[in-house]
Structure formats: C-alpha cells, structure tokens
C-alpha cells in the first residue's frame, strides 16, 4: 500500500480503534507524549469513513493486519461505488446504457481519482456526489420537495465523509438551477430554500467538525499543526494544468510542474471538443450547465490571480483541508456528464459507437493509469512488523522514547510518521509528541526529555516511567559513537538490533527508519501519578533536589 498520507491516516484510524473512540473525537490519548498524554481533540481528521474503518478494525483482531486490510479495501471499493452512482446519474440524463457507461468510466477512473487510490483521509470517497446531483437535478426538473431534501441530506453526509467534495459540489449545483425551465422568481426562491436546507443538514450532521474548526480558529498556535492559509498558492495548479499529458511520456513528453496524476488527459479534451461541435449535444438541457461548471472547475483549479481571494477565504474556515487543486476532480465529474450526453446524441450504428468508445476509453485509461508516481511508493507492513516484532512481544514495556526525538511539525506536534507506524505494530505508548499544553511550558519546543547524548537524559526518562529507548540508526548522525556510550552505561541493557536492508525495502519513504536498536532502562517502576510537564518550575526544582 502507498505511504505518506495513507500511513498517517492508517495510524489515526488504528489509534481510534485501539482506544475505542470510534464515533467521537479522540481527546487525550496516553499513547503519545507519555506520561502526559496528547490532546487530539482539535484535529479535524475525523470523518464518517474513518469511523467505519475504525469500527471494522476494532471488531476484528485490532492488529496491523486488520488495519492494512480495512484501509486497502476501503480505498478499492470507492471505484465501483463511484462508477455505479455516476452511471445512475448519467442514465437519468441520457437513458442510454453505453452513454452512461462511458460517463461512469470517465469519472470513476479519472487521473486524479487514480492518484487518490492511496485512500488517505477518505479523499477518494466521493461516490455520494453523483447522487447529490441526481436528486438536485430531479428537483430542478419536477420541483418536488423530497428530492431537494434528499440532496441536502446527501450533501451533509458527503461533508461528513470529506468536506472537499461537499463544498465544491455544492458550489456548482446552483448553475443547474439557473438553467432550469422555471421563472426567475421560482429559481430565486428555490435557491434560498436550497441554501437554508443545506446549511441546516450541514450543521446537524457535522457538529463535531464545526467544534474542531472553531477550536482551530480561536487557538492559532494549535492551528500551526495544520496547513496555514498562507500556503494556499502552493496547492493550486499552474495555468494550463488541465492540459497536462498523462503517463505516456514515450508518446508525448511530460514537462508539467505538478503531479502527473492531476490532469484530464488529451483524449478527454479531444472528445469534449467534438461534443461542443455537435448541435445535438447543445440541445440537451444539462449540456450547457455541465459545460459551464466544467469550465469553472478548470478555472478554480488553475492559478488565476483574480480568484485566489476565494481560495484564501476557503482556507480560513477549512485550513486542514488543503488542495484547492482538487477541484480538478470536479472537472472530471462534469466531463463525465458531457461525455455521456455526447455519446447519447450520436445516432450512428451501435457497432460504430462501441468501436469509437473502445478507442477513446483505451486512450483515456492509458493516460490516467497509474495516474501518479506515488502509487509506486509503498510501505510493506509485513517488513515493518519484522523490525518491531520484538517490541510487540515485549510485555514489560511501559513506554518507548525514540531518538532522534523529533516532532511532525519540526519543533512540536505529533511524533514523526516512521515512529507512529511502528506503534501500529507494537502498540506501546510513545514518549514522543508535544501538544499545545506542553508547548506552553516549553515555548522553545525542545525535546521533552533531553538529548540522548546527555547522560542525565537516562535518569529523566526513568523518573517518568519510560523503560525502553529506540535508536533509529540510519537517522542518527553519530549512531556508532552513541551506541558505544549507551552499551557501556550500567543503567542500560542492550536488547539487540533489528533492521531491514535498504535494498529490500523497495520504493518506500519509511525505509531509512527500518533499522533500530533497542535498550532497556534497568529498574524503572511504573508511575503512581503523572508528574508536572518538563520545563515547568515545579519539575525543575524537583529534579534539582534529586
């Protein structure tokens, strides 16, 4: 399975399952920043898909095998679900099987969708989006309240799964209302009703998310753990990004500055050009609004200085959910509708249509698959399990202090990715990480327990009930000299080295971490109470007295 975002998401899902916080915020967990705990409650990671994943892991054995299986299955099932719901929408618009199939494939196997196969943060679960539009278009056609109600409820659920697609999906729906065969007064009233109902269900179904966002807005220091609004421009495509070629560099070279998976493909652009040249396509009532939305999605996902203000406004309220460039997936969604309408307008013999579609889809899939070089970066958890197997079987571990002791946000924050991935396997508390509470005691954001090269650090760790030290050999600059010092220290007992050769890792960003040496701190007793944070006046005096 691919790493980076997926590894971090897998750890978060595992920690929810392990702690039993399935359908609620994590709050304070003792598995990080031992013995103080780490407050994860303001982290806007929770979503319905991850809650369901956590439940599935907890209802099984709860180990790393279950976590890997569940997250992979969840990522893969998003493709047939998205294609199936898109087929339903296209069928409603065209009443043609081949046309609906073509639209479903364009959406379900777009380049950006393939790139999201890593399934992090439920970003590839937008299979509710076609159903949102199906109900809303039916409302525009018939004016029936229950269709509008269903659309708003589905929007709220989509937001509960992933705010990206709910927010941008809602943004384009009024375009279809504008083109509806109604009076402008009816359209205005319908838009007001739609906005009020959408807001109501968004609020009801996403109370937890709103609370988390309010915490981040009112605690700017804690918001440093997530992407700050000022970096929005780095998430927007350069101009012309929709015309980026795919993964066929032998046929035409690739020079785009962004990820190869975030593109539409020349095959799709060519077919859409043909659709715009066909009068029968324009006669379909959904063609004009879909084409306008397609152009709007391309504009929003590209670097257009006049629109960056809108993107900054978005980041103020949803600063964790970066990636304005992800609107390109909305372009693929509307492109699927346009393709379905175009194919349905063709009156040639069925054999000719099938042959033409076969050529187009073959070219299209060749451009989009595999969609991103990140797919070839993967973490083999069976290899990770071998490295951390001894820690998993060690029943006398109270907590683990890993070195280099760094934080995910450079100076403070959660433990680094390679360390928490190991925790998914051994399931022991980590001394690493520092949240806002502890950061206030130590604004300089130093490692909580000191430098491992400092002889006093061993006693500090022992006084806090930590009895295991893990040295990441490939990540320490002075590993050999450090091991000589630690091996000769009578307070420590070496428990051996566990590693995987780098040549056996494949393409993995966690490979360098798969070489650890473990030391036991002798005579450590379990804490009866949690001490004051390192850096506080009371802690300094107590350690000075000792």
């Amino acid at each position: 399975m691919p790493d980076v975002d997926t590894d971090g998401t897998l750890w978060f899902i595992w920690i929810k399952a392990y702690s039993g916080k399935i359908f609620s915020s994590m709050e304070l967990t003792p598995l990080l920043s031992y013995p103080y705990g780490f407050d994860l409650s303001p982290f806007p990671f929770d979503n319905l898909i991850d809650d369901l994943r956590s439940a599935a892991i907890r209802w099984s054995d709860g180990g790393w095998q279950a976590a890997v299986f569940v997250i992979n299955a969840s990522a893969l099932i998003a493709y047939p679900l998205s294609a199936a719901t898109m087929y339903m929408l296209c069928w409603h618009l065209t009443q043609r099987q081949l046309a609906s199939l073509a639209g479903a494939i364009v959406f379900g196997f777009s380049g950006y969708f393939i790139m999201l196969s890593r399934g992090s943060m439920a970003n590839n679960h937008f299979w509710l989006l076609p159903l949102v539009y199906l109900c809303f278009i039916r409302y525009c056609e018939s004016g029936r309240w229950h269709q509008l109600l269903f659309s708003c409820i589905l929007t709220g659920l989509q937001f509960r799964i992933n705010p990206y697609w709910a927010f941008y999906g809602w943004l384009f729906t009024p375009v279809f209302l504008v083109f509806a065969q109604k009076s402008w007064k009816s359209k205005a009233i319908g838009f007001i009703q739609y906005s009020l109902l959408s807001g109501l269900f968004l609020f009801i179904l996403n109370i937890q998310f709103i609370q988390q966002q309010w915490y981040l807005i009112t605690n700017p220091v804690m918001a440093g753990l997530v992407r700050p609004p000022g970096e929005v421009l780095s998430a927007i495509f350069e101009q012309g990004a929709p015309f980026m070629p795919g993964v066929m560099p032998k046929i035409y070279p690739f020079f785009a500055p962004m990820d190869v998976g975030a593109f539409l493909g020349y095959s799709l652009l060519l077919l859409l050009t043909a659709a715009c040249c066909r009068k029968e396509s324009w006669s379909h009532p959904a063609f004009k609004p879909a084409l306008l939305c397609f152009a709007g999605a391309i504009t929003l996902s590209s670097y257009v200085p006049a629109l960056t203000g809108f993107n900054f406004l978005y980041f103020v309220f949803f600063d964790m959910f970066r990636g304005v460039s992800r609107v390109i997936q909305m372009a693929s969604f509307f492109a699927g509708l346009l393709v379905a309408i175009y194919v349905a307008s063709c009156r040639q013999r069925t054999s000719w249509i099938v042959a033409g579609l076969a050529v187009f889809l073959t070219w299209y899939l060749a451009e989009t698959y595999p969609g991103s070089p990140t797919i070839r970066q993967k973490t083999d958890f069976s290899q990770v399990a071998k490295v951390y197997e001894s820690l998993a079987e060690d029943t006398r571990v109270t907590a683990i202090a890993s070195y280099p002791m760094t934080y995910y946000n450079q100076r403070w924050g959660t433990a680094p990715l390679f360390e928490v991935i190991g925790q998914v396997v051994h399931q022991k508390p980590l001394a690493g990480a520092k949240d806002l509470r502890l950061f206030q005691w130590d604004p300089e954001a130093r490692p909580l327990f000191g430098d491992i090269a400092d002889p006093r650090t061993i006693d500090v760790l022992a006084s806090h009930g930590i009895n295991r030290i893990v040295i990441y050999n490939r990540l320490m600059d002075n590993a050999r000299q450090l091991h000589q010092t630690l091996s000769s220290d009578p307070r420590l007992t070496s428990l051996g080295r566990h590693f995987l050769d780098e040549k056996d890792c494949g393409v993995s960003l966690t490979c360098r971490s798969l070489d650890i040496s473990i030391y036991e701190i002798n005579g450590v007793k379990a804490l009866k109470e949690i001490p004051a944070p390192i850096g506080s006046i009371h802690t300094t005096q107590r350690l000075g007295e000792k």
Side-chain angles (χ1 to χ4, degrees), residues 8-279:
T9 304
L10 184 143
W11 169 79
F12 187 74
I13 294 172
W14 168 81
I15 200 173
K16 284 175 67 70
Y18 186 83
S19 61
K21 298 288 186 178
I22 305 298
F23 295 100
S24 61
S25 180
M26 269 300 302
E27 300 176 349
L28 193 68
T29 174
L31 293 174
L32 289 178
S33 193
Y34 181 90
Y36 312 113
F38 192 92
D39 187 8
L40 284 169
S41 58
F43 280 47
F45 295 129
D46 289 329
N47 59 70
L48 182 59
I49 294 298
D50 284 351
D51 287 340
L52 295 175
R53 290 167 170 172
S54 301
I57 294 171
R58 187 169 180 83
W59 292 336
S60 58
D61 60 5
W64 67 267
Q65 297 95 333
V68 170
F69 174 80
V70 167
I71 198 171
N72 279 339
S74 172
L76 292 176
I77 200 174
Y79 292 91
L81 283 176
S82 298
T85 56
M86 187 63 172
Y87 181 92
M88 295 170 61
L89 174 58
C90 293
W91 173 260
H92 174 76
L93 294 176
T94 66
Q95 301 294 307
R96 298 280 296 276
Q97 291 183 350
L98 283 178
S100 302
L101 180 62
I105 292 176
V106 167
F107 175 64
F109 296 92
S110 65
Y112 201 83
F113 196 3
I114 296 295
M115 186 189 72
L116 292 177
S117 61
R118 48 192 176 190
S120 62
M121 297 193 300
N123 284 340
N124 67 341
H125 281 270
F126 36 67
W127 40 269
L128 282 179
L129 185 64
L131 298 182
V132 170
Y133 275 78
L134 175 60
C135 293
F136 188 77
I137 290 175
R138 284 178 173 174
Y139 165 73
C140 294
E141 294 171 346
S142 64
R144 295 179 179 176
W145 267 85
H146 72 278
Q147 296 292 347
L148 180 64
L149 188 66
F150 289 155
S151 179
C152 294
I153 293 175
L154 291 173
T155 297
L157 288 175
Q158 180 66 74
F159 196 100
R160 185 71 179 87
I161 293 174
N162 188 281
Y164 280 124
W165 313 122
F167 177 80
Y168 287 116
W170 184 93
L171 185 68
F172 291 105
T173 46
V175 177
F176 287 83
L177 181 60
V178 170
F179 282 86
Q181 300 298 318
K182 298 181 179 181
S183 66
W184 284 105
K185 181 179 179 180
S186 298
K187 294 176 184 178
I189 295 175
F191 178 72
I192 294 174
Q193 294 171 341
Y194 177 53
S195 300
L196 292 176
L197 278 177
S198 297
L200 175 63
F201 286 106
L202 283 172
F203 182 82
I204 293 175
L205 297 174
N206 297 276
I207 292 292
Q208 181 178 329
F209 177 85
I210 295 173
Q211 292 172 338
Q212 291 170 331
Q213 290 297 323
W214 179 252
Y215 183 95
L216 292 175
I217 292 173
T218 55
N219 292 271
V221 176
M222 196 61 178
L225 278 172
V226 298
R227 191 186 184 101
E231 297 182 18
V232 63
L233 293 180
S234 64
I236 305 176
F237 288 156
E238 297 293 334
Q239 287 180 323
F243 301 97
M244 294 161 58
V247 290
M248 296 197 298
K250 294 182 180 180
I251 299 178
Y252 40 82
F254 172 72
F255 299 107
M258 302 299 291
D259 193 290
V260 73
F263 70 101
L264 293 175
Y266 287 137
S267 56
L268 183 57
L269 293 173
L270 182 62
L271 193 68
L272 294 182
T273 301
C276 291
C277 296
R278 189 175 180 84
K279 293 182 179 180

